[in-house]
Amino acid sequence: MDPARFIRRSDYQWEVPQSGAMRVPGLIYADEGLLLDMDDKVSEQVANVASLPGIVKASFAMPDAHWGYGFPIGGVAAFDPDADGVVSAGGVGFDISCGVRTLLTGLDINRVQPIKRLLADTLYARIPAGLGSTGAVHLSATEMDAMLAGGARWAVEQGYGRAEDLERIEEHGSMAGADPGAVSDAAKRRQRDEMGTLGSGNHYLEVQHVTAVYDAAVAQGFGLAVGDVVVSIHCGSRGLGHQIGSEFLREMAIAAAQSGIRLADRELACAPIRSEVGQRYLHAMRAAINCALANRQILTHLTRQAFREVVAGAELTLLYDVSHNTCKVEEHKLDGGRRKLYVHRKGATRAFPPGHPELPHALYSTGQPVLIGGSMGTASYVLAGTHRGMREAFGSACHGAGRSMSRSAAGKRWTGRKVIDELAGRGILIRSPSHRGVAEEAPGAYKDVSAVVDAADRAELARKVVRLEPLVCIKG
Amino acid sequence: MPWEHFAHGADIGVRGIGASLNESFEQAALALTEVICPLEGIDARESVQIRCEAPDAEVLFTDWLNALIYEMSTRNLLFSRFAVDIRDYRLTATAWGEALDRERHHPTVEVKAATYTALLVTQRDDGSWIAQCVVDV
């Protein structure tokens, strides 16, 4: 996009001036290079979101923003229920509560290098990945409802993980206000064989090591030092979330058309927070958040089993678990007062500052870990939430690299075998059921995650803490 | 070309082109399968009946693709042949295929949902029909 189209608020903030139907301005966080590379659709979608009823302050785009569905991916917007604010199924997306969790292994790179191959094979055998894989957990109707109400807390009660994991998950592992009764039978049916599965596409499990520390004090607070080996898991609410997203998008789009609301884009489909469908969606969407949290908790359990199989006595502890695609009720300062707002983050990460009451005691002084996944074979980062990000952007930051090339183009440009061999040459082991899937996810098909993270850091949305590089990647 | 894929930033678009509305829906369904794995090698051994109803042709199109995604997901099936009949935004269809075999079919990616992005169902000037949208993978 041409920077001349925007008001330059700083080197890292670009304002989309309020015009036409926009109720608030747009604000894009990026450096000039990232902005130049962004699709024109980003500013169009930022402006469309700014026109939705009840939006407050601004329609935000994070440094990894790209063309999404209604909302840009990397979009953040908060709505006030007292000002006829809306909740949008499109603003949350299809993979509800897709997110990342990172586990500390207590092992260092020198200990892991010699057993890397065995670790890769054991993880690949243990973690169901790719289309057609099924989990070992099959839930009855009663168990399904308990899982949807309880999230990771339910999973821990079933023996998947430990109670102390829960305090290092958003919402302490269990999203309140979820109603399994608001979830359709079709959505539950789709989830029956998918608990504890990674999925496909850009979902992965990576063994990584810390290669740089940018903030020693915070890194120490997170328990991270150069050479430490960690595991990051990226996946979401699987078929259940996809089904809920599709069903409510349809219902909200048809309802909008029937009540004469003209949406700039059907995917902006939304409903007043204080409406029957708005409430029903919130209850179902929160159940999907619990599904994603339970799923990542079961995968954590499987990862721990795999590690113990290879390294006797290995103890994996949770650093944190973040979700990218959510709508959450949060208290924020606005116009001199405190307001309860419905914050949509679509492909954006919550980034709460030091001292936030949501944080567990151990992370109180550091701020929330913000886990940013790169593409396969490139770096990932851990950042920490800041007060400035909280004040300016409802405590939000970027979520990943974002694609620079379409799947079809990547599939034509690379072969899976070549990508796997090239990464193996750099010491990165890939295990995946699909060569074409690996080609479509080739590192070259993604933007430079470092540039995205640097922009978030310089804009002070979140502060860079450590850089992670992959050793093993299990790709769905 | 009766079906094709088109580029979208993060995902992929499916497009069916046909002499009739029915045929454009059938062709788009072939494009949907090709996102997942090659059509060749999927035997039409068993069939599933699908019914959808919608207020307009475009919502009907996403309903059709989402119904296929649901059937594939819950029955562990892949489809390679389709027969669609649409009357007054009511669709009845048969989809033929077989159980997904990871060794034989080499699936690349799972489709999460059909979206309303680049959604279009229309008759072109030459009388042919086109049905398309982006699918989230």
Side-chain angles (χ1 to χ4, degrees):
Chain A
M1 299 192 295
D2 178 3
R5 289 168 50 194
F6 306 98
I7 299 168
R8 186 188 195 119
R9 281 205 198 165
S10 76
D11 285 353
Y12 300 96
Q13 285 181 310
W14 308 81
E15 182 180 327
V16 184
Q18 202 176 327
S19 68
M22 289 170 73
R23 296 160 192 262
V24 291
L27 196 60
I28 300 171
Y29 285 92
D31 62 24
E32 196 162 344
L34 288 168
L35 190 77
L36 277 165
D37 285 346
M38 270 182 201
D39 197 304
D40 282 340
K41 287 276 180 190
V42 172
S43 73
E44 186 185 317
Q45 292 191 321
V46 164
N48 287 342
V49 171
S51 70
L52 293 175
I55 186 166
V56 295
K57 200 167 181 175
S59 162
F60 296 95
M62 297 292 121
D64 52 341
H66 51 281
W67 179 21
Y69 302 109
F71 280 53
I73 296 169
V76 176
F79 297 84
D80 182 352
D82 292 334
D84 302 322
V86 293
V87 58
S88 169
V92 171
F94 294 100
D95 198 353
I96 297 168
S97 200
C98 179
V100 179
R101 71 163 52 184
T102 297
L103 306 162
L104 311 183
T105 67
L107 305 170
D108 77 11
I109 180 78
N110 298 321
R111 177 81 176 87
V112 171
Q113 279 293 12
I115 53 167
K116 195 167 64 177
R117 195 165 296 275
L118 180 60
L119 198 54
D121 294 336
T122 309
L123 284 165
Y124 188 49
R126 285 268 184 195
I127 307 286
L131 179 56
S133 63
T134 52
V137 185
H138 305 277
L139 303 181
S140 70
T142 319
E143 290 166 328
M144 178 70 73
D145 284 359
M147 181 276 287
L148 294 174
R153 187 172 298 278
W154 168 87
V156 167
E157 284 163 8
Q158 305 306 306
Y160 303 108
R162 315 162 185 158
E164 59 264 33
D165 294 340
L166 297 173
E167 66 171 13
R168 285 173 178 261
I169 303 173
E170 288 181 16
E171 324 305 334
H172 306 283
S174 184
M175 186 72 222
D179 178 6
V183 177
S184 70
D185 290 342
K188 291 175 185 174
R189 174 81 177 74
R190 242 177 117 172
Q191 193 58 24
R192 214 173 52 178
D193 300 322
E194 298 206 344
M195 287 312 294
T197 62
L198 198 55
S200 64
N202 62 359
H203 293 159
Y204 61 78
L205 180 149
E206 270 191 358
V207 181
Q208 306 157 325
H209 62 126
V210 178
T211 57
V213 169
Y214 307 102
D215 185 323
V218 175
Q220 192 182 15
F222 288 173
L224 293 169
V226 169
D228 284 357
V229 172
V230 303
V231 177
S232 292
I233 302 170
H234 176 218
C235 71
S237 50
R238 313 290 301 112
L240 181 127
H242 312 160
Q243 189 71 23
I244 291 172
S246 305
E247 289 171 1
F248 279 93
L249 187 67
R250 181 183 196 276
E251 188 176 346
M252 288 179 179
I254 292 172
Q258 284 169 350
S259 53
I261 300 171
R262 288 192 64 82
L263 298 168
D265 176 345
R266 257 202 256 223
E267 214 98 33
L268 287 167
C270 56
I273 291 160
R274 290 185 182 144
S275 67
E276 188 276 330
V277 58
Q279 286 299 311
R280 193 153 38 81
Y281 173 68
L282 285 164
H283 292 145
M285 185 265 301
R286 289 169 185 153
I289 290 178
N290 279 333
C291 180
L293 299 182
N295 196 43
R296 290 199 285 274
Q297 190 63 35
I298 295 171
L299 288 168
T300 297
H301 176 72
L302 299 175
T303 305
R304 283 173 169 153
Q305 284 185 330
F307 263 77
R308 275 198 291 268
E309 217 173 298
V310 178
V311 183
E315 283 286 337
L316 274 61
T317 56
L318 189 50
L319 170 59
Y320 209 67
D321 179 302
V322 298
S323 294
H324 317 307
N325 298 344
T326 57
C327 170
K328 292 192 170 171
V329 184
E330 295 171 5
E331 202 175 88
H332 289 279
K333 278 187 194 155
L334 193 72
D335 306 330
R338 296 198 71 83
R339 303 266 276 283
K340 278 213 157 54
L341 301 173
Y342 286 65
V343 183
H344 292 64
R345 295 187 183 88
K346 171 74 193 90
T349 311
R350 186 147 96 176
F352 280 167
H356 194 280
E358 261 285 313
L359 297 176
H361 180 71
L363 299 172
Y364 203 69
S365 62
T366 57
Q368 181 210 306
V370 179
L371 312 171
I372 306 299
S375 60
M376 179 175 56
T378 62
S380 295
Y381 289 85
V382 180
L383 289 75
T386 64
H387 291 291
R388 182 164 174 191
M390 190 69 182
R391 273 195 314 274
E392 282 187 7
F394 302 116
S396 308
C398 52
H399 87 310
R403 291 191 80 92
S404 61
M405 189 186 287
S406 72
R407 290 186 166 274
S408 0
K412 280 178 195 135
R413 179 138 170 203
W414 292 286
T415 67
R417 187 73 260 166
K418 191 157 171 272
V419 172
I420 291 169
D421 288 348
E422 204 175 287
L423 291 172
R426 288 167 43 204
I428 303 165
L429 303 180
I430 306 295
R431 296 288 183 272
S432 173
S434 169
H435 276 194
R436 191 173 118 190
V438 169
E440 291 184 2
E441 291 291 324
Y446 279 82
K447 285 182 215 157
D448 178 8
V449 68
S450 303
V452 166
V453 163
D454 283 344
D457 179 77
R458 288 183 191 142
E460 292 179 53
L461 289 169
R463 200 164 61 246
K464 254 174 30 170
V465 180
V466 305
R467 174 184 166 97
L468 306 168
E469 288 180 30
L471 296 165
V472 172
C473 178
I474 311 296
K475 193 82 196 165
Chain B
M1 190 172 196
W3 66 260
E4 61 193 3
H5 291 152
F6 60 94
H8 171 269
D11 294 303
I12 192 163
V14 296
R15 179 180 291 139
I17 302 158
S20 63
L21 179 63
N22 292 342
E23 204 180 313
S24 69
F25 274 46
E26 291 163 1
Q27 291 296 330
L30 294 171
L32 175 70
T33 297
E34 272 273 342
V35 172
I36 302 161
C37 72
L39 282 161
E40 297 82 34
I42 305 172
D43 287 343
R45 281 187 211 164
E46 50 182 299
S47 66
V48 174
Q49 299 296 314
I50 289 170
R51 282 172 204 282
C52 320
E53 195 177 336
D56 64 59
E58 290 182 342
V59 174
L60 187 67
F61 179 62
T62 58
D63 284 356
W64 158 238
L65 297 185
N66 277 326
L68 292 171
I69 290 165
Y70 177 79
E71 297 297 338
M72 285 192 279
S73 161
T74 54
R75 296 173 193 254
N76 193 39
L77 286 174
L78 290 170
F79 298 118
S80 55
R81 212 182 112 207
F82 307 90
V84 171
D85 182 33
I86 300 167
R87 287 171 205 186
D88 301 330
Y89 308 136
R90 282 194 190 133
L91 173 149
T92 51
T94 308
W96 288 269
E98 64 170 326
L100 166 66
D101 177 339
R102 299 224 295 171
E103 298 303 313
R104 200 152 54 79
H105 295 122
H106 304 294
T108 302
V109 77
E110 171 186 27
V111 179
K112 294 173 183 169
T115 78
Y116 294 160
T117 295
L119 171 60
L120 182 70
V121 176
T122 191
Q123 190 168 20
R124 298 193 290 192
D125 291 344
D126 64 0
S128 66
W129 285 82
I130 183 165
Q132 68 168 50
C133 73
V134 168
V135 296
D136 192 3
V137 297

